[in-house]
Amino acid sequence: MTDKTAILAHLTAEQDDTAGLEHGIKADEWERLVTRLGRKPNLVELGIYSVMWSEHCSYKSSRRHLSKFPTKNDRVIQGPGENAGVIDIGDGQAAIFKMESHNHPSYIEPYQGAATGVGGILRDVFTMGARPIALVNALRFGSPDHPKPRSLVAGVVAGIGGYGNCVGVPTVAGETQFDEGYNGNILVNAMAVGLADQDKIFYARGATPGNPIFYVGSKTGRDGIHGATMASAEFSEGDEEKRPTVQVGDPFAEKLLIEATLELMASGAVAAIQDMGAAGLTSSSVEMAASGGENGEGIGVVMDLDKVPQREEGMTAYEIMLSESQERMLMVLYPDKIDVAKAVFDKYDLSAEVIGHTTDTGHLVLTQFGETVCDIPVAPLAEDAPNYDRPWTEPPKRAPLDISKYPEPEDYGEVLLKLMSSPDMASKRWIWEQYDRHVMGDTVDSSQSMGDAAIVRIHGTNKALAITSDCNPHYVAADPYEGGKAAVAEAYRNLSAVGATPIAITDNLNFGNPEKPATMGYIVKAIEGMAEACRELDFPVVSGNVSLYNETNGEGIMPTPAIGGVGVISDLAHHATIGLKAGEGALVMIGAATGELGQSLYLKTIEGREEGAPPTIDLNAEKRAGTLVRELIELGAVKTCHDIADGGLLVTVAEMCMAGKIGADVSLPEQGSEAAWLFGEDQGRYVIATSDPDKVLNAAASANVAAVIVGQIGGNAISIEGEAKVSVSDLRDLNEGWMPSFMADAT
């Protein structure tokens, strides 16, 4: 379509409810739209409503439940509602971080889907004035027996590495899981962490009427149109045809954009700024307008779309507004800074154009070819979007596991070998070796060590951030309330285990179709469990993302509320690592063992069953144990620590042995099930190595924390009461062998 008159007629034609359905606007929402607008929308306006009212942008199914999260403590500077969360890390500095999903795009086009997920989360962070210092990813793929995971893993990992390595930000941590619950929908959750001075943080809010709107970055193309809508819908067979909705990234342009944006921010030219993420120019302009004004009352925006830099000819207003082309930002500048801004972006050879201005009308007004193609109030697009109270049903409770049904293993060594070579526990070296973990020169510890959390030095100081991501979806599927608590508590333990004070979390809530009451029940109870853990552990939520409709042909994923946690190490002279060290002597377990095998890795791998209730959590005991561990590390009494998670005590010790290339002998309990003792996944526990066990035991007693010696360090094998010996080097070879073997046939 090249005739301007015909294009305008097409764009401004009144739309009906059938067109609304084609755009994902359901009947009740159509009535709401028409009522709010006072008329039927034209095509451009309908497109804008469709993306802003999509699940991905509006959180219309989850918003009322997300309000249950605690979002403040003494360290929180900015909670949910901005591009990313901000916490005080002392010395006038702030950490800025967020986790976000790119699930649907990564399933359709693995390389670009994952790559642009990395690019998008980086923009959320540097948009706020932070220099990105670390990337983390949480990946979940289908069963290794399924035909798709190999190619999906290859594409996703290449995309993450290809983008992160080129943009020059280290990928320091993550998790990878294989399970049939993700056969139809993989999960690609990306997290970024950045640093900024507290007095130099930028927000989307803050724009006032009468200021120029500045478009910067790459030119707009037709890639990614309807990406937000696609991410808010279920899959069906043959959805590979949705590839055009997946964006195409350019990490080299992103690097230039980071430098140009930070330089312009330093000049004092920027009044407000917003990343062009999901829904592109639509969401960035609407969100900035909705939060603008002196008191957040909202402002208006006028934009001339002919001035938007475009890399394809003949783009219509509809395409320009809905494009999700990457490496783009929208800024509101101070009027006298336009030339300064243009000079900065010209230096980096990036597009930079004034495309409009802010007003006091509260309306979004768009023109093309000199004619108005959109004139709609901003408020209904943002805070007045649908906010459903979806019906939900209470998830069924699993009965506690009767461990007497399962005989004690004859050979604990064979059990250990099977667990450590299973897809769940096998080393993911094949993956993390493709990521640059040390660029920028401040990575102290990363996924390379198998440790509980990555540690990144704050440049030029002896202070560091600890970063982790975690979730056990089997726990959530069995009991979303306890599973939600467990996901938060695991992040808390991971940070505590390296000696970091846990400060706050970001989350990525991955679930199926919220319109199904059963699915909605899992969402509600998982949020409530997470919220309780956050309150009790003083570990608030400061940012996050909701990814729903992760279903294919009506089959949803395992409920997966992924948690990204950030903590502070005040002095790197006092932090802990996972690897055992010669001379440490004793292994001490911190926390009480109750022998819970329900939903355990042992039960799944050895018995071929996924049964029982997940382990319960005493949050008060969890907090006491974490506080004790951190104090012991800070005092220099403990330098080696690992939290007990999947696989239980024996797997934890095995990982410490492999990391330190030294053996250990593990003790058995005086009474009770030996399997439950060795492989139970009771929460709130750590294993520490020490040359002075009495000091540790006395400190634990004073802190009202259970503690017991569970083994001795030495030799080159792992054994149980001197028997069932497994060579550490053989175990390491087996542990590291599964992933390369699995990926050998990837295409």
Side-chain angles (χ1 to χ4, degrees):
M1 196 179 294
T2 57
D3 182 328
K4 292 182 180 180
T5 302
I7 292 173
L8 289 170
H10 176 67
L11 295 176
T12 58
E14 184 180 89
Q15 304 297 298
D16 59 17
D17 55 351
T18 301
L21 285 172
E22 291 171 352
H23 281 74
I25 302 288
K26 298 182 178 180
D28 62 317
E29 294 173 344
W30 177 258
E31 294 300 322
R32 183 187 186 96
L33 189 164
V34 173
T35 300
R36 297 292 191 274
L37 193 55
R39 57 177 173 81
K40 293 180 180 179
N42 66 31
L43 181 61
V44 177
E45 294 164 344
L46 177 58
I48 290 170
Y49 268 99
S50 75
V51 293
M52 293 306 301
W53 284 12
S54 70
E55 191 73 54
H56 193 78
C57 292
S58 73
Y59 296 169
K60 57 189 177 186
S61 298
S62 58
R63 208 156 70 241
R64 64 180 59 239
H65 298 288
L66 297 175
S67 65
K68 300 172 184 177
F69 284 142
T71 59
K72 298 178 180 178
N73 68 9
D74 292 343
R75 294 265 204 162
V76 174
I77 296 173
Q78 174 65 53
E82 273 287 342
N83 286 293
V86 185
I87 59 172
D88 179 356
I89 60 171
D91 303 312
Q93 294 176 305
I96 299 178
F97 60 98
K98 186 182 181 182
M99 179 182 280
E100 199 165 69
S101 64
H102 236 217
N103 302 335
H104 288 62
S106 298
Y107 186 75
I108 295 169
E109 178 38 72
Y111 185 97
Q112 291 295 347
T116 52
V118 173
I121 199 63
L122 284 171
R123 289 194 297 281
D124 280 333
V125 166
F126 75 77
T127 294
M128 299 195 67
R131 179 166 294 280
I133 63 165
L135 289 164
V136 175
N137 52 76
L139 313 177
R140 290 177 169 86
F141 301 96
S143 168
D145 299 329
H146 193 270
K148 286 190 175 182
R150 283 182 180 84
S151 61
L152 291 171
V153 170
V156 166
V157 171
I160 293 170
Y163 203 101
N165 295 352
C166 292
V167 83
V169 180
T171 300
V172 297
E175 52 179 331
T176 304
Q177 183 178 14
F178 296 88
D179 192 278
E180 64 182 3
Y182 306 102
N183 282 352
N185 295 78
I186 65 173
L187 300 184
V188 177
N189 296 170
M191 176 180 174
V193 183
L195 289 175
D197 292 336
Q198 293 181 21
D199 59 354
K200 297 175 182 176
I201 296 170
F202 290 78
Y203 300 95
R205 64 180 187 268
T208 54
N211 289 334
I213 296 172
F214 202 53
Y215 172 114
V216 301
S218 297
K219 295 180 178 180
T220 296
R222 290 187 170 92
D223 53 317
I225 294 174
H226 286 302
T229 307
M230 179 268 293
S232 305
E234 297 180 25
F235 281 157
S236 59
E237 292 297 334
D239 271 0
E240 288 80 3
E241 67 190 27
K242 291 183 178 179
R243 280 193 175 89
T245 63
V246 179
Q247 312 93 325
V248 178
D250 180 349
F252 301 105
E254 181 99 341
K255 176 62 176 173
L256 294 173
L257 186 60
I258 292 173
E259 300 304 328
T261 301
L262 295 178
E263 184 173 325
L264 183 61
M265 287 171 165
S267 75
V270 180
I273 183 170
Q274 181 74 42
D275 160 45
M276 290 195 215
L281 189 53
T282 291
S283 63
S284 58
S285 57
V286 169
E287 290 169 5
M288 199 154 18
S291 61
E294 295 289 345
N295 301 301
E297 68 275 13
I299 58 173
V301 167
V302 174
M303 293 190 294
D304 181 354
L305 300 185
D306 293 327
K307 295 181 179 179
V308 173
Q310 300 164 47
R311 69 168 185 261
E312 298 184 47
E313 294 185 0
M315 292 189 69
T316 67
Y318 180 94
E319 294 170 321
I320 293 168
M321 291 301 295
L322 269 61
S323 167
E324 295 184 7
S325 294
Q326 297 292 283
E327 294 84 41
R328 303 180 300 158
M329 315 279 277
L330 197 66
M331 301 178 180
V332 174
L333 302 179
Y334 295 109
D336 60 343
K337 297 292 186 178
I338 293 175
D339 290 342
V340 172
K342 285 195 172 192
V344 169
F345 280 86
D346 283 347
K347 182 173 76 172
Y348 290 96
D349 197 26
L350 293 169
S351 296
E353 296 291 341
V354 175
I355 63 169
H357 61 275
T358 56
T359 70
D360 61 0
T361 65
H363 274 233
L364 173 67
V365 179
L366 307 174
T367 65
Q368 188 172 31
F369 311 139
E371 300 291 334
T372 299
V373 295
C374 170
D375 186 349
I376 52 179
V378 169
L381 295 171
E383 67 265 19
D384 197 29
N387 186 2
Y388 292 119
D389 187 6
R390 301 276 193 201
W392 59 277
T393 56
E394 190 81 27
K397 293 283 187 182
R398 304 282 184 96
L401 185 73
D402 181 4
I403 61 175
S404 66
K405 296 192 306 182
Y406 301 100
E408 296 286 337
E410 294 183 2
D411 188 332
Y412 294 118
E414 282 299 315
V415 172
L416 180 60
L417 290 169
K418 286 181 181 178
L419 291 175
M420 298 307 293
S421 60
S422 69
D424 293 279
M425 294 308 302
S427 168
K428 305 306 186 295
R429 174 189 288 269
W430 185 93
I431 293 176
W432 52 253
E433 279 190 336
Q434 299 186 50
Y435 305 149
D436 191 334
R437 305 173 302 283
H438 299 287
V439 65
M440 302 181 78
D442 284 314
T443 303
V444 177
D445 205 1
S446 70
S447 49
Q448 181 175 349
S449 75
M450 301 185 292
D452 292 294
I455 300 174
V456 181
R457 184 192 306 271
I458 295 170
H459 191 73
T461 75
N462 206 37
K463 187 170 65 176
L465 295 180
I467 310 162
T468 187
S469 68
D470 259 295
C471 177
N472 188 322
H474 293 280
Y475 292 177
V476 185
D479 185 332
Y481 188 82
E482 290 297 328
K485 287 165 58 178
V488 174
E490 172 71 2
Y492 180 87
R493 280 197 301 279
N494 285 345
L495 297 174
S496 297
V498 301
T501 301
I503 304 299
I505 68 168
T506 182
D507 63 60
N508 207 135
L509 306 182
N510 306 276
F511 292 87
N513 186 345
E515 297 172 50
K516 297 178 178 179
T519 300
M520 195 67 214
Y522 278 89
I523 297 170
V524 172
K525 299 308 292 186
I527 288 173
E528 291 178 352
M530 292 167 61
E532 182 185 353
C534 289
R535 283 193 298 271
E536 293 301 316
L537 300 174
D538 192 21
F539 203 27
V541 179
V542 296
S543 61
N545 173 248
V546 172
S547 176
L548 307 182
Y549 294 96
N550 290 288
E551 295 199 2
T552 296
N553 297 329
E555 189 71 27
I557 61 164
M558 294 180 70
T560 311
I563 305 296
V566 176
V568 176
I569 298 174
S570 57
D571 184 355
L572 276 169
H574 301 293
H575 77 277
T577 55
I578 182 178
L580 297 178
K581 302 162 187 70
E584 287 181 316
L587 295 171
V588 178
M589 180 172 70
I590 303 294
T594 55
E596 299 203 45
L597 283 173
Q599 300 301 319
S600 65
L601 181 65
Y602 170 84
L603 199 66
K604 174 186 176 184
T605 305
I606 305 304
E607 299 292 344
R609 313 287 295 236
E610 295 182 26
E611 294 182 344
T616 56
I617 302 177
D618 180 337
L619 292 170
N620 190 272
E622 184 83 57
K623 191 171 185 177
R624 292 199 309 274
T627 301
L628 171 66
V629 167
R630 295 194 303 273
E631 288 176 349
L632 288 169
I633 295 171
E634 188 174 355
L635 290 170
V638 170
K639 295 188 179 296
T640 305
C641 181
H642 189 18
D643 89 303
I644 300 178
D646 297 354
L649 171 63
L650 188 58
V651 165
T652 299
V653 173
E655 290 178 327
M656 298 171 80
C657 289
M658 289 192 297
K661 299 180 181 178
I662 190 170
D665 185 53
V666 178
S667 308
L668 288 171
E670 294 181 1
Q671 58 185 11
S673 166
E674 294 176 355
W677 170 262
L678 293 172
F679 306 111
E681 297 179 5
D682 325 317
Q683 301 290 285
R685 297 186 297 158
Y686 306 77
V687 173
I688 62 176
T690 177
S691 58
D692 191 351
D694 289 340
K695 183 177 183 178
V696 172
L697 294 174
N698 290 334
S702 298
N704 191 26
V705 175
V708 62
I709 296 174
V710 293
Q712 297 293 325
I713 301 164
N716 56 12
I718 302 163
S719 60
I720 298 92
E721 298 279 11
E723 304 293 333
K725 292 186 177 182
V726 176
S727 161
V728 173
S729 60
D730 289 349
L731 183 63
R732 188 181 182 103
D733 289 344
L734 192 65
N735 178 251
E736 294 186 350
W738 182 84
M739 193 79 195
S741 176
F742 172 69
M743 294 303 297
D745 299 326
T747 57

